[in-house]
């Protein structure tokens, strides 16, 4: 199932993509607070959605204003230096392949939806860069989840653009400030439930700027795979329904170009992953 959140008459509603239409799930499940609420209801919630979808009002996709699928309840968890070629593309900063996952976070205030603008005014350093990434959405929560059990805790997938203020990322050592500006976490356009993705490692992540492809790599290039990331994070903290893990970016960021090229107002960034869709955001 492909799940969306869309705005209608000033309120956000949960919908299901059916071809060229969006079924308004909130109309037939009025008890649903938001998509995180649906995620927390697990397989039962999806089954109930499936039962009611036929009588849900349908809207043409082109008429619908999509929002971020949901605003996470806590920071988006993200993984640094998780694709080998990306680790080696920053020429002036030699970096080893990490022995353990590098984890940082992005606050909920950084999350925006498809079509919303990445605002470079929030990066006083003028070094705004893109990072197209696969986002893993946690379903059933847990602590000390073993890698072999990790897939049981995956609800589905989305696309995340881990927009980064490069100079601030370096200046402050810890990455929160460089990764956390408002609007620097575009997410969406959909959450695809995991049953629709036969082999997530075979998906390709592609990013283009103004139509020019900059990043293209398969998820299988990740240094630390999804079960390892879930096991690492949950070794010390409880993962909860609706938590998001941005799994790292392939080579091809603007910082890696010679000379580096950063995002500027007027640019349009598109991140595509097969089976999920395309996340498009203008830059202002
Ligand atoms: Mg990243």
């Amino acid at each position: 199932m492909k799940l969306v959140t869309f705005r209608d008459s000033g309120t956000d509603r949960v919908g299901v993509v059916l071809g060229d239409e969006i079924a308004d799930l909130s109309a037939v499940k009025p008890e649903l607070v938001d998509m995180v609420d649906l995620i927390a209801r697990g397989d039962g919630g999806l089954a109930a959605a499936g039962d009611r979808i036929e009588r849900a009002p349908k809207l043409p996709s082109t008429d619908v204003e999509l929002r971020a699928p949901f605003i996470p309840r806590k920071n988006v968890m993200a993984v640094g230096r998780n694709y080998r070629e990306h680790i080696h593309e920053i020429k002036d900063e030699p970096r080893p392949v990490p022995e353990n996952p590098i984890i940082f976070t992005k606050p909920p205030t950084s999350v925006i939806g498809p079509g919303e603008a990445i605002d470079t005014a929030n990066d006083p350093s003028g070094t705004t860069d893109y990072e197209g990434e696969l986002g893993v959405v946690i379903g059933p929560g847990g602590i000390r989840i073993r890698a072999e059990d990790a897939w049981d805790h995956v609800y589905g997938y989305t696309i995340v653009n881990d927009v980064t203020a490069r100079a601030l990322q370096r200046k402050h050592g810890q990455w929160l400030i460089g990764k956390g500006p408002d609007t620097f976490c575009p997410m969406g356009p959909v959450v695809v439930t995991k049953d629709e993705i036969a082999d997530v490692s075979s998906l390709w992540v592609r990013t283009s700027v103004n139509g020019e492809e900059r990043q293209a790599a398969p998820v299988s290039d990740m240094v630390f795979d999804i079960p390892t990331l879930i096991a690492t994070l949950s070794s010390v903290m409880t993962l909860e329904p609706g938590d998001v893990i941005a799994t790292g970016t392939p080579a091809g960021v603007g910082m890696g170009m010679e000379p580096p090229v950063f995002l500027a107002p007027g640019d349009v960034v598109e991140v595509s992953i097969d089976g999920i869709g395309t996340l498009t955001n203008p830059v202002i």
Side-chain angles (χ1 to χ4, degrees):
M1 214 173 262
K2 278 196 171 97
L3 304 168
V4 295
T5 292
F6 65 98
R7 177 149 285 203
D8 185 52
S9 305
T11 62
D12 286 349
R13 310 178 71 77
V14 179
V16 178
V17 178
L18 296 175
D20 295 334
E21 294 182 318
I22 307 280
D24 184 351
L25 192 56
S26 293
V28 288
K29 276 181 76 72
E31 71 278 16
L32 207 55
V33 177
D34 62 4
M35 199 187 294
V36 175
D37 183 15
L38 179 64
I39 292 167
R41 292 168 192 250
D43 290 343
L46 285 176
D51 290 344
R52 297 187 203 180
I53 212 167
E54 204 158 297
R55 54 190 171 87
K58 314 291 191 304
L59 303 148
S61 303
T62 47
D63 290 359
V64 165
E65 180 196 347
L66 290 184
R67 311 278 289 162
F70 55 91
I71 302 297
R73 301 283 196 264
K74 62 191 186 206
N75 286 17
V76 171
M77 291 167 271
V79 186
R81 301 176 189 166
N82 203 28
Y83 283 76
R84 276 169 217 282
E85 287 181 31
H86 170 60
I87 294 168
H88 300 305
E89 71 175 327
I90 312 296
K91 302 288 184 293
D92 64 338
E93 189 189 357
R95 310 183 297 185
V97 174
E99 291 180 16
N100 297 288
I102 297 171
I103 307 290
F104 59 93
T105 69
K106 299 168 79 74
T109 40
S110 67
V111 175
I112 58 173
E116 290 190 80
I118 299 163
D119 189 353
T120 57
N122 298 324
D123 172 12
S125 72
T127 56
T128 306
D129 203 357
Y130 54 83
E131 293 190 356
E133 306 195 6
L134 172 73
V136 174
V137 179
I138 297 295
I143 187 165
R144 292 185 282 281
I145 298 166
R146 297 181 304 173
E148 56 264 42
D149 299 328
W151 295 114
D152 296 340
H153 296 264
V154 173
Y155 188 83
Y157 306 98
T158 188
I159 300 172
V160 172
N161 186 348
D162 174 21
V163 181
T164 304
R166 293 289 177 208
L168 301 184
Q169 182 185 12
R170 286 188 175 186
K171 178 181 174 185
H172 294 277
Q174 220 279 354
W175 295 359
L176 178 65
I177 287 182
K179 297 284 193 177
D182 284 10
T183 73
F184 277 34
C185 191
M187 193 168 101
V190 305
V191 168
V192 182
T193 51
K194 74 173 169 189
D195 57 292
E196 293 217 355
I197 307 284
D199 177 12
V200 70
S201 68
S202 70
L203 303 184
W204 279 65
V205 181
R206 300 175 194 277
T207 306
S208 68
V209 179
N210 305 328
E212 176 192 300
E213 188 169 275
R214 299 276 186 87
Q215 299 184 290
V219 167
S220 58
D221 278 2
M222 291 197 309
V223 176
F224 300 105
D225 63 12
I226 291 166
T228 302
L229 298 175
I230 289 174
T232 301
L233 283 159
S234 74
S235 67
V236 296
M237 71 184 83
T238 302
L239 296 181
E240 297 172 293
D243 282 350
V244 178
I245 304 170
T247 52
T249 204
V253 298
M255 180 73 183
M257 298 172 77
E258 296 183 37
V261 177
F262 297 112
L263 294 173
D267 287 344
V268 175
V269 187
E270 292 175 287
V271 185
S272 298
I273 300 180
D274 336 288
I276 304 178
T278 299
L279 173 63
T280 304
N281 296 89
V283 179
I284 60 171

PDB file of all heavy atoms in Angstrom, residues 62-77:
ATOM      1  N   THR A  62      -3.840  14.638  -9.216  1.00  0.00           N
ATOM      2  CA  THR A  62      -3.388  15.958  -9.671  1.00  0.00           C
ATOM      3  C   THR A  62      -4.063  17.090  -8.900  1.00  0.00           C
ATOM      4  O   THR A  62      -3.579  18.210  -8.900  1.00  0.00           O
ATOM      5  CB  THR A  62      -3.683  16.132 -11.176  1.00  0.00           C
ATOM      6  OG1 THR A  62      -5.033  15.707 -11.427  1.00  0.00           O
ATOM      7  CG2 THR A  62      -2.734  15.287 -12.014  1.00  0.00           C
ATOM      8  N   ASP A  63      -5.203  16.802  -8.247  1.00  0.00           N
ATOM      9  CA  ASP A  63      -5.926  17.839  -7.504  1.00  0.00           C
ATOM     10  C   ASP A  63      -5.488  17.910  -6.047  1.00  0.00           C
ATOM     11  O   ASP A  63      -5.988  18.748  -5.287  1.00  0.00           O
ATOM     12  CB  ASP A  63      -7.442  17.545  -7.506  1.00  0.00           C
ATOM     13  CG  ASP A  63      -8.043  17.744  -8.876  1.00  0.00           C
ATOM     14  OD1 ASP A  63      -7.290  18.129  -9.795  1.00  0.00           O
ATOM     15  OD2 ASP A  63      -9.264  17.501  -9.028  1.00  0.00           O
ATOM     16  N   VAL A  64      -4.579  17.023  -5.651  1.00  0.00           N
ATOM     17  CA  VAL A  64      -4.295  16.859  -4.224  1.00  0.00           C
ATOM     18  C   VAL A  64      -2.964  17.502  -3.865  1.00  0.00           C
ATOM     19  O   VAL A  64      -1.966  17.333  -4.559  1.00  0.00           O
ATOM     20  CB  VAL A  64      -4.266  15.347  -3.886  1.00  0.00           C
ATOM     21  CG1 VAL A  64      -3.620  15.089  -2.546  1.00  0.00           C
ATOM     22  CG2 VAL A  64      -5.685  14.781  -3.914  1.00  0.00           C
ATOM     23  N   GLU A  65      -2.974  18.263  -2.774  1.00  0.00           N
ATOM     24  CA  GLU A  65      -1.731  18.862  -2.271  1.00  0.00           C
ATOM     25  C   GLU A  65      -1.114  17.905  -1.258  1.00  0.00           C
ATOM     26  O   GLU A  65      -1.626  17.746  -0.150  1.00  0.00           O
ATOM     27  CB  GLU A  65      -2.025  20.217  -1.595  1.00  0.00           C
ATOM     28  CG  GLU A  65      -0.781  20.893  -1.054  1.00  0.00           C
ATOM     29  CD  GLU A  65      -1.102  22.006  -0.051  1.00  0.00           C
ATOM     30  OE1 GLU A  65      -2.280  22.430   0.040  1.00  0.00           O
ATOM     31  OE2 GLU A  65      -0.165  22.436   0.656  1.00  0.00           O
ATOM     32  N   LEU A  66      -0.023  17.253  -1.672  1.00  0.00           N
ATOM     33  CA  LEU A  66       0.621  16.306  -0.760  1.00  0.00           C
ATOM     34  C   LEU A  66       1.423  17.048   0.296  1.00  0.00           C
ATOM     35  O   LEU A  66       1.992  18.101   0.053  1.00  0.00           O
ATOM     36  CB  LEU A  66       1.549  15.363  -1.532  1.00  0.00           C
ATOM     37  CG  LEU A  66       0.901  14.327  -2.441  1.00  0.00           C
ATOM     38  CD1 LEU A  66       1.972  13.423  -3.040  1.00  0.00           C
ATOM     39  CD2 LEU A  66      -0.149  13.508  -1.703  1.00  0.00           C
ATOM     40  N   ARG A  67       1.471  16.438   1.470  1.00  0.00           N
ATOM     41  CA  ARG A  67       2.274  16.938   2.589  1.00  0.00           C
ATOM     42  C   ARG A  67       3.364  15.917   2.885  1.00  0.00           C
ATOM     43  O   ARG A  67       3.396  14.842   2.294  1.00  0.00           O
ATOM     44  CB  ARG A  67       1.367  17.077   3.825  1.00  0.00           C
ATOM     45  CG  ARG A  67       0.071  17.817   3.549  1.00  0.00           C
ATOM     46  CD  ARG A  67       0.258  19.285   3.577  1.00  0.00           C
ATOM     47  NE  ARG A  67       0.479  19.740   4.947  1.00  0.00           N
ATOM     48  CZ  ARG A  67       1.007  20.916   5.268  1.00  0.00           C
ATOM     49  NH1 ARG A  67       1.405  21.732   4.324  1.00  0.00           N
ATOM     50  NH2 ARG A  67       1.141  21.270   6.527  1.00  0.00           N
ATOM     51  N   ALA A  68       4.243  16.219   3.836  1.00  0.00           N
ATOM     52  CA  ALA A  68       5.122  15.158   4.330  1.00  0.00           C
ATOM     53  C   ALA A  68       4.225  14.024   4.815  1.00  0.00           C
ATOM     54  O   ALA A  68       3.154  14.284   5.384  1.00  0.00           O
ATOM     55  CB  ALA A  68       5.989  15.671   5.469  1.00  0.00           C
ATOM     56  N   PRO A  69       4.606  12.757   4.603  1.00  0.00           N
ATOM     57  CA  PRO A  69       3.739  11.655   5.040  1.00  0.00           C
ATOM     58  C   PRO A  69       3.339  11.803   6.511  1.00  0.00           C
ATOM     59  O   PRO A  69       2.203  11.515   6.884  1.00  0.00           O
ATOM     60  CB  PRO A  69       4.604  10.415   4.813  1.00  0.00           C
ATOM     61  CG  PRO A  69       5.542  10.808   3.712  1.00  0.00           C
ATOM     62  CD  PRO A  69       5.826  12.275   3.919  1.00  0.00           C
ATOM     63  N   PHE A  70       4.296  12.220   7.331  1.00  0.00           N
ATOM     64  CA  PHE A  70       3.993  12.545   8.723  1.00  0.00           C
ATOM     65  C   PHE A  70       5.153  13.345   9.272  1.00  0.00           C
ATOM     66  O   PHE A  70       6.253  13.317   8.717  1.00  0.00           O
ATOM     67  CB  PHE A  70       3.754  11.283   9.580  1.00  0.00           C
ATOM     68  CG  PHE A  70       4.886  10.286   9.546  1.00  0.00           C
ATOM     69  CD1 PHE A  70       5.910  10.354  10.477  1.00  0.00           C
ATOM     70  CD2 PHE A  70       4.927   9.281   8.585  1.00  0.00           C
ATOM     71  CE1 PHE A  70       6.958   9.433  10.450  1.00  0.00           C
ATOM     72  CE2 PHE A  70       5.976   8.358   8.547  1.00  0.00           C
ATOM     73  CZ  PHE A  70       6.989   8.446   9.483  1.00  0.00           C
ATOM     74  N   ILE A  71       4.888  14.060  10.352  1.00  0.00           N
ATOM     75  CA  ILE A  71       5.971  14.729  11.068  1.00  0.00           C
ATOM     76  C   ILE A  71       6.384  13.783  12.194  1.00  0.00           C
ATOM     77  O   ILE A  71       5.575  13.476  13.073  1.00  0.00           O
ATOM     78  CB  ILE A  71       5.524  16.087  11.646  1.00  0.00           C
ATOM     79  CG1 ILE A  71       5.016  17.013  10.518  1.00  0.00           C
ATOM     80  CG2 ILE A  71       6.678  16.737  12.419  1.00  0.00           C
ATOM     81  CD1 ILE A  71       6.051  17.392   9.481  1.00  0.00           C
ATOM     82  N   PRO A  72       7.627  13.281  12.163  1.00  0.00           N
ATOM     83  CA  PRO A  72       8.031  12.321  13.195  1.00  0.00           C
ATOM     84  C   PRO A  72       7.879  12.927  14.591  1.00  0.00           C
ATOM     85  O   PRO A  72       8.022  14.129  14.792  1.00  0.00           O
ATOM     86  CB  PRO A  72       9.498  12.053  12.862  1.00  0.00           C
ATOM     87  CG  PRO A  72       9.627  12.377  11.404  1.00  0.00           C
ATOM     88  CD  PRO A  72       8.683  13.524  11.171  1.00  0.00           C
ATOM     89  N   ARG A  73       7.600  12.041  15.562  1.00  0.00           N
ATOM     90  CA  ARG A  73       7.398  12.495  16.937  1.00  0.00           C
ATOM     91  C   ARG A  73       8.719  12.905  17.585  1.00  0.00           C
ATOM     92  O   ARG A  73       8.753  13.606  18.575  1.00  0.00           O
ATOM     93  CB  ARG A  73       6.775  11.382  17.775  1.00  0.00           C
ATOM     94  CG  ARG A  73       5.435  10.885  17.264  1.00  0.00           C
ATOM     95  CD  ARG A  73       4.301  11.847  17.616  1.00  0.00           C
ATOM     96  NE  ARG A  73       3.008  11.186  17.465  1.00  0.00           N
ATOM     97  CZ  ARG A  73       2.233  11.270  16.387  1.00  0.00           C
ATOM     98  NH1 ARG A  73       2.608  11.997  15.336  1.00  0.00           N
ATOM     99  NH2 ARG A  73       1.077  10.629  16.351  1.00  0.00           N
ATOM    100  N   LYS A  74       9.804  12.353  17.052  1.00  0.00           N
ATOM    101  CA  LYS A  74      11.123  12.732  17.563  1.00  0.00           C
ATOM    102  C   LYS A  74      12.068  12.886  16.374  1.00  0.00           C
ATOM    103  O   LYS A  74      11.651  12.749  15.227  1.00  0.00           O
ATOM    104  CB  LYS A  74      11.620  11.711  18.561  1.00  0.00           C
ATOM    105  CG  LYS A  74      11.811  10.320  18.026  1.00  0.00           C
ATOM    106  CD  LYS A  74      12.042   9.338  19.188  1.00  0.00           C
ATOM    107  CE  LYS A  74      12.375   7.968  18.718  1.00  0.00           C
ATOM    108  NZ  LYS A  74      12.014   6.923  19.684  1.00  0.00           N
ATOM    109  N   ASN A  75      13.303  13.184  16.647  1.00  0.00           N
ATOM    110  CA  ASN A  75      14.235  13.466  15.558  1.00  0.00           C
ATOM    111  C   ASN A  75      14.352  12.305  14.578  1.00  0.00           C
ATOM    112  O   ASN A  75      14.349  11.137  14.982  1.00  0.00           O
ATOM    113  CB  ASN A  75      15.630  13.766  16.119  1.00  0.00           C
ATOM    114  CG  ASN A  75      15.725  15.133  16.766  1.00  0.00           C
ATOM    115  OD1 ASN A  75      14.717  15.747  17.094  1.00  0.00           O
ATOM    116  ND2 ASN A  75      16.940  15.607  16.948  1.00  0.00           N
ATOM    117  N   VAL A  76      14.468  12.665  13.309  1.00  0.00           N
ATOM    118  CA  VAL A  76      14.816  11.675  12.290  1.00  0.00           C
ATOM    119  C   VAL A  76      16.243  11.215  12.579  1.00  0.00           C
ATOM    120  O   VAL A  76      17.142  12.028  12.774  1.00  0.00           O
ATOM    121  CB  VAL A  76      14.734  12.307  10.879  1.00  0.00           C
ATOM    122  CG1 VAL A  76      15.304  11.364   9.816  1.00  0.00           C
ATOM    123  CG2 VAL A  76      13.293  12.694  10.554  1.00  0.00           C
ATOM    124  N   MET A  77      16.424   9.903  12.637  1.00  0.00           N
ATOM    125  CA  MET A  77      17.770   9.362  12.852  1.00  0.00           C
ATOM    126  C   MET A  77      18.430   9.156  11.487  1.00  0.00           C
ATOM    127  O   MET A  77      17.774   8.721  10.539  1.00  0.00           O
ATOM    128  CB  MET A  77      17.679   8.044  13.618  1.00  0.00           C
ATOM    129  CG  MET A  77      17.210   8.279  15.059  1.00  0.00           C
ATOM    130  SD  MET A  77      16.713   6.762  15.895  1.00  0.00           S
ATOM    131  CE  MET A  77      14.977   6.723  15.443  1.00  0.00           C
TER     132      MET A  77
END
